Each structure stands twice: as structure tokens, then as C-alpha cells.
């Protein structure tokens, strides 16, 4: 073991002070640039070299003279008052700004010292000269520094969000979903929706791993502990929108029962982005067999590397642009419609490939009925994709989502009437391949009961956001018929006064519905409160789905041990860290340690 060097007070002549680690190891720290060196550098030659090279040193200070030097924080305050940033402030600012960009772009922490800083130093040397290079050299960008910077910024962002939640005039809405990362670790992600300064804000709340089991009670425990840790009562939550397995996050899950036990008033909604799953579960036998045949074909092509390479080469040879064929899974519901469309459009080419590979799937794939069923499924799932895509946006509330679903369900009777007359206009792929009345009769007999069953399932399954007649003033208080409101209704007078204002009418016509009701909080608080309690709950877990996409960038094979909580918060939060406050606290802590 190498001998540990000891600190000597004479070393202050080189503007160094001493930091002591937990194990007693002493390390020199430069007072001017805050660089910390190893114990092996604790010798005059090394300290003098740094002082002369980096700070153009004029040595000769002793301990007493150094004590009378103005404190760095005082120097910093003086420079700030003059509108000039001190060198120390500038170095910290640069370090934090780079760490912020690193997290925003979802890059590994090591990219700073391994790539960015060396490149910046080379550019500075060539373009700006050695003096600029020396200044850039002092910017701390090590792996550990970037990690600590991101952690500090994450905590600042979280603190801002928690302050907003506490100040929100109404209970907040929560969006909660679970996924499994590449390490097979279950990650629970949450977003929050709250009111701040006359607008509804949507923000990332947390992403935490489920350590042991993934039962509903484990999800609830993690969810509850987050609020307890930050000293916020759980009843601040007015609604929770979930998505996932029924046993874990479903409407009848243990999680829901635990939440309702703690917060009886809470509203539980289930993500409305799952009509594909409902359609699949209602498929009659023949249509389900056709879907399974598609799955087998995809697995045959994608499941074996040689087949996949041959398939790609085959498409290139016949001059067709190859599109990546995705595996068919329960979770990739949006890609399911795209897969069916792709299989139908390249039916002949895939059939040739299956023949070439002597696959036993050829007989089922060539069946005339299969192609007809495939066309219907491709058309139906394309309609569902369009419906789901229309609900994939920020600010989607349960009322708007319900309106879109209702509009979609109202199409079913028209589709059924046309199908009875052998008119398949609403199913263009199906219309394209049906050539005989017998084929039309057979497929009509198969899909008519399916569409009827699907229509009834939609009505029962997606009931959230359905307003009664007396509450529809929330959507348009100016066109709403007040006769639907009982005279005993306390807010009827407020509604009448609101309708009489031309200024408020102009605001209503130019603003989003949620923002309009937020602006009415000071004028008509009871109306605004009632309306926003309906509009705040999440209708989908779309934000969580976006968050899971970001998670793929953070949890990779080379970064599998990374705790993503801080990185992902800085990356996807709309909040900007309060850099000046963070740097000021940092400088104060450093000054106290001297």
C-alpha cells in the first residue's frame, strides 16, 4: 500500500486548502477553481505546477494572509452587483448547463470527459488560442460531476413541482403506469396534472423501480411512500388514471382498493387507449384464427435471423421498399393495425417467400377465406388506430376522450346497414378483394355479429367522462339550455350571470376549455371548481407511454445499473432548473467547508 501524504499549512502559498475524506485521507483542493486532487498530488511540486499553469501564480502567501483574502462568496456577490459573473460562477454555470443538455439529450454521463471536453479543448486551441483552452480546461465535467449536477437539478425541479401541487386550488390528477426495462426490472412511472396561475399543468412526477414483487399492494406502497416522503397528504390526489394488468392496476385491482381505502373520494379511471385489446377479445373464432395465422407468419420471418435476412434480401431483389416487420405483442397495440395493413399490402410477396422457404404456413396463408378475414381485420384496426391517435396528445381529458369514443361508436349502425346491403365502402381493403355475392354474404354473416357485440362492449367498457344532461354546461355554458338545470341548483344564478357577459364570451371562443374555466376561478369560483373537477382527471396514460420511450434511451446494456429517476426527470420535465439558486447554494457549501 502506498504511503499517505500529510497536509502542511505552508501549502496555502499555492492557494490550496485541505479536504479530509471519511477514511482520513487528505486531498488538496484549489481555492481558486475548486479542483480536488488525489492524495498523491499533496506535494509542493504538484501544487505549484497547478498554481502556475492554471492561475499564472504569484506565490508567497502564508496562512495568515490567505485568511484575510475576501471570501469567494463575497467576491461573487460584488461581481454580480456590477453585472459581471465571477470565474468560479462561470465555471459552475457551464458545468450545470452541460449536465442539463446531457440529460435532455439522454446521453451517458461519460460523454463529457470522453468526447465533448476533449473536442472543445481542441477547438479552443485551434480557433481561440491557448488562453481560451486553459479556461475551458477548468470546467468540471467528469462522470461523477455530471451525475451530481443532474441529481441536484432533478431535486430542484421536483421541489418546484411539489410546491405547485401544494399551492394548487384543486385536488390533482395522477397518471400511473408500469413497464419492464431491459434488466427485467419493473418501473412505475407517474405524471401529475394540477392548476397553476390560470392554466392546467402536466408534469412528470416520478419513475421508481418496484424492488421485489409487482402486486397491486406493492404499487400502492411505492405510490403512497412518495407522498409521505415529501410530506404531502395522499388525499391531495383527486383522481388516478391507470393502465396495465387488471391484477396490478386494473379497476378492480388491489391497488385501487388500497387507494380508495386511504382516499375514499378519489376517482379511478382506466386508460382509454386500449380499444384494440377489446376488439381482439371479441373476435369470433374464424377471425381470431386469421389473426393467429398473421402472428405465426411474423414469428416465422422475424423469429429466425436467416429467415429475416432472406426476407429483406427478397424484397430488395423484387424492388419493394422493405419496412421493418414488428413482432405482434399484446402491448404494441398501435403497431397491430400497421402490421395487418402491411401484411395485406404485401400478401403476394410474403406468399412467394413462404413457398420459397417451404413453410408449413403456406396452406393457411393461401386460403381465400384467410385473405378476406385479413382484409377486414386490417380495415378495422386501421379505424382503431385513427381513433387512438386522435386521443394521443397532452391535455386530453375524460370528456374529450369520451366524445371521440362516442363519435366512433355512432359509426357502427351505419356500417352495419351498409354491410346488410353488401356495401363495404367503410372497409376499403375488404371491398377491394370481394368479387362475388357469395363471398360478400359469407363475410357479412361473420362480421355483422362481431360489430354488434363490439358496439355493446364499447358502451359498457368506456363509461368514464359521460356527462349527464344537467352538467353539459361545462362544455358550453353559453349554448346550454338552462331549463335542464333545476331551479334549486345553487349555481344556476352564476350560470345566468356568466352568459350575460360579452367579455367572457370572447374569452370562451378564443381559449381552450380547460384554460377558460381556470380564468373564471376568481369571478365564478363555484362554477370553475365544478367544471375543473371534471376536466382535471387524465383520460389516458399517453404521457407515461412517452416516458417509457425515454426510458429505453437511459436503460441500455451499457447503462443497465443506472438509477434513472433523476436523469429522466431532467430529460422530460417542462420545468427548468433554477440554476442561479443551485449555484449559490453550491458556493455557500464550499465556503463553509473551507
Amino acid at each position: 500500500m502506498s504511503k499517505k501524504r500529510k497536509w502542511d499549512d505552508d501549502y496555502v502559498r499555492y492557494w490550496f486548502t485541505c479536504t479530509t475524506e471519511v477514511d482520513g485521507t487528505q486531498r488538496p483542493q484549489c481555492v481558486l477553481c475548486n479542483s480536488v486532487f488525489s492524495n498523491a498530488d499533496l506535494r509542493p511540486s504538484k501544487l505549484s505546477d497547478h498554481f502556475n499553469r492554471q492561475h499564472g501564480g504569484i506565490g508567497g502567501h502564508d496562512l495568515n494572509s490567505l485568511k484575510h483574502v475576501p471570501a469567494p462568496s463575497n467576491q461573487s456577490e460584488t461581481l454580480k452587483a456590477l453585472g459581471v459573473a465571477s470565474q468560479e460562477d462561470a465555471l459552475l454555470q457551464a458545468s450545470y448547463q452541460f449536465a442539463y443538455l446531457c440529460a435532455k439529450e439522454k446521453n451517458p454521463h461519460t460523454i463529457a470527459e470522453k468526447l465533448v471536453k476533449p473536442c472543445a479543448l481542441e477547438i479552443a486551441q485551434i480557433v481561440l488560442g491557448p488562453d481560451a483552452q486553459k479556461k475551458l480546461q477548468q470546467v468540471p465535467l467528469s462522470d461523477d460531476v455530471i451525475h451530481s449536477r443532474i441529481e441536484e437539478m432533478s431535486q430542484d425541479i421536483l421541489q418546484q413541482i411539489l410546491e405547485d401541487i401544494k399551492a394548487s386550488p384543486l385536488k390533482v390528477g395522477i397518471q400511473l403506469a408500469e413497464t419492464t426495462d431491459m434488466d427485467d426490472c419493473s418501473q412505475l412511472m407517474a405524471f401529475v396534472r394540477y392548476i397553476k396561475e390560470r392554466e392546467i399543468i402536466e408534469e412528470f412526477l416520478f419513475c421508481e423501480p418496484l424492488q421485489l414483487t409487482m402486486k397491486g399492494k406493492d404499487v400502492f406502497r411505492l405510490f403512497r411512500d412518495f407522498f409521505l416522503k415529501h410530506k404531502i397528504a395522499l388525499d391531495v390526489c383527486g383522481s388516478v388514471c391507470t393502465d396495465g394488468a387488471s391484477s396490478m392496476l386494473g379497476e378492480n385491482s388491489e391497488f385501487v382498493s388500497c387507494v380508495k381505502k386511504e382516499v375514499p373520494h378519489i376517482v379511478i379511471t382506466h386508460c382509454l387507449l386500449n380499444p384494440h385489446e377489446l376488439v381482439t377479445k371479441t373476435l369470433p373464432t374464424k377471425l381470431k384464427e386469421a389473426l393467429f395465422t398473421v402472428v405465426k407468419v411474423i414469428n416465422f420471418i422475424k423469429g429466425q435471423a436467416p429467415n429475416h435476412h432472406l426476407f429483406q434480401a427478397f424484397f430488395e431483389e423484387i424492388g419493394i421498399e422493405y419496412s421493418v416487420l414488428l413482432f405482434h405483442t399484446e402491448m404494441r397495440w398501435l403497431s397491430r393495425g400497421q402490421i395487418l395493413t402491411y401484411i395485406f399490402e404485401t400478401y403476394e410477396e410474403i406468399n412467394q417467400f413462404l413457398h420459397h422457404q417451404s413453410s408449413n404456413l403456406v396452406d393457411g396463408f393461401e386460403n381465400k377465406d384467410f385473405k378476406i378475414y385479413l382484409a377486414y381485420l386490417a380495415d378495422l384496426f386501421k379505424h382503431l388506430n385513427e381513433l387512438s391517435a386522435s386521443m394521443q396528445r397532452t391535455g386530453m381529458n375524460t370528456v374529450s376522450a369520451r366524445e371521440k369514443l362516442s363519435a366512433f361508436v355512432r359509426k357502427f349502425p351505419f356500417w352495419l346497414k351498409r354491410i346488410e346491403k353488401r356495401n363495404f365502402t367503410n372497409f376499403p381493403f375488404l371491398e377491394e378483394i370481394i368479387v362475388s355475392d357469395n363471398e360478400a354474404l359469407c363475410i357479412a354473416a361473420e362480421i355483422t355479429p362481431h360489430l354488434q357485440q363490439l358496439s355493446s362492449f364499447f358502451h359498457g367498457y368506456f363509461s368514464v367522462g359521460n356527462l349527464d344532461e344537467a352538467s353539459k354546461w361545462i362544455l358550453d355554458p353559453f349554448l346550454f339550455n338552462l331549463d335542464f338545470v333545476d331551479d334549486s341548483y345553487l349555481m344556476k344564478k352564476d350560470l345566468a350571470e356568466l352568459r350575460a357577459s360579452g367579455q367572457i364570451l370572447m374569452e370562451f371562443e378564443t381559449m381552450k376549455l380547460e384554460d377558460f374555466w381556470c380564468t373564471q376561478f376568481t369571478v365564478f369560483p363555484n362554477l370553475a371548481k365544478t367544471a375543473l373537477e371534471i376536466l382535471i382527471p387524465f383520460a389516458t396514460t399517453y404521457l407515461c407511454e412517452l416516458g417509457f420511450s425515454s426510458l429505453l434511451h437511459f436503460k441500455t446494456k451499457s447503462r443497465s445499473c443506472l438509477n434513472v429517476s433523476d436523469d429522466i426527470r431532467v430529460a422530460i420535465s417542462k420545468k427548468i432548473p433554477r440554476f442561479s439558486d443551485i449555484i449559490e447554494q453550491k458556493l455557500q457549501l464550499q465556503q463553509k467547508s473551507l
Side-chain angles (χ1 to χ4, degrees), residues 226-432:
F226 174 83
F227 286 91
L228 290 177
K229 177 183 176 182
H230 298 289
K231 299 179 181 180
I232 298 178
L234 196 59
D235 64 0
V236 74
C237 303
S239 62
V240 176
C241 180
T242 64
D243 186 21
S246 57
S247 60
M248 189 187 307
L249 291 174
E251 291 182 338
N252 301 314
S253 66
E254 191 175 15
F255 167 78
V256 171
S257 63
C258 289
V259 171
K260 286 190 172 181
K261 187 176 180 180
E262 290 273 339
V263 191
H265 70 264
I266 200 164
V267 176
I268 304 293
T269 61
H270 194 269
C271 177
L272 298 179
L273 288 177
N274 292 319
H276 302 70
E277 182 180 352
L278 186 62
V279 170
T280 304
K281 290 180 178 179
T282 59
L283 286 176
T285 305
K286 292 182 180 178
L287 290 173
K288 192 172 290 185
E289 288 175 354
L291 187 59
F292 287 159
T293 300
V294 172
V295 175
K296 291 175 184 177
V297 169
I298 294 171
N299 290 341
F300 174 76
I301 296 171
K302 286 280 289 185
Q304 302 176 42
N307 283 349
H308 188 206
H309 294 318
L310 286 171
F311 183 73
Q312 185 174 359
F314 172 70
F315 266 52
E316 291 174 356
E317 183 179 336
I318 61 179
I320 294 179
E321 184 178 351
Y322 174 71
S323 178
V324 176
L325 204 58
L326 298 175
F327 278 114
H328 179 289
T329 69
E330 287 300 318
M331 292 307 293
R332 288 188 181 133
W333 46 263
L334 189 56
S335 67
R336 190 177 299 171
Q338 297 170 348
I339 289 169
L340 292 167
T341 299
Y342 184 75
I343 294 290
F344 179 80
E345 290 177 342
T346 59
Y347 176 84
E348 296 298 335
E349 291 77 15
I350 292 175
N351 191 29
Q352 290 180 43
F353 180 78
L354 294 177
H355 272 287
H356 184 268
Q357 296 300 107
S358 302
S359 171
N360 56 6
L361 298 173
V362 169
D363 293 338
F365 197 77
E366 284 187 328
N367 187 288
K368 178 63 176 176
D369 290 340
F370 165 77
K371 190 173 183 181
I372 293 174
Y373 296 147
L374 173 64
Y376 167 70
L377 291 172
D379 284 325
L380 181 60
F381 278 92
K382 188 175 181 181
H383 286 305
L384 293 171
N385 274 8
E386 292 170 354
L387 170 65
S388 295
S390 69
M391 293 190 288
Q392 290 186 57
R393 64 173 177 83
T394 57
M396 176 59 66
N397 57 64
T398 55
V399 176
S400 299
R402 176 66 187 180
E403 287 179 340
K404 292 181 180 295
L405 281 168
S406 298
F408 181 76
V409 173
R410 283 197 290 269
K411 296 177 183 178
F412 281 58
F414 298 105
W415 291 353
L416 288 167
K417 285 182 181 179
R418 286 179 173 177
I419 289 171
E420 286 177 8
K421 298 175 182 179
R422 312 296 180 265
N423 182 348
F424 299 99
T425 304
N426 300 109
F427 300 88
F429 290 147
L430 187 60
E431 186 179 39
E432 179 184 326

Side-chain angles (χ1 to χ4, degrees), residues 37-50:
F37 296 86
S38 67
N39 179 261
D41 294 325
L42 195 55
R43 47 185 171 176
S45 60
K46 290 286 186 180
L47 304 183
S48 174
D49 182 64
H50 172 79

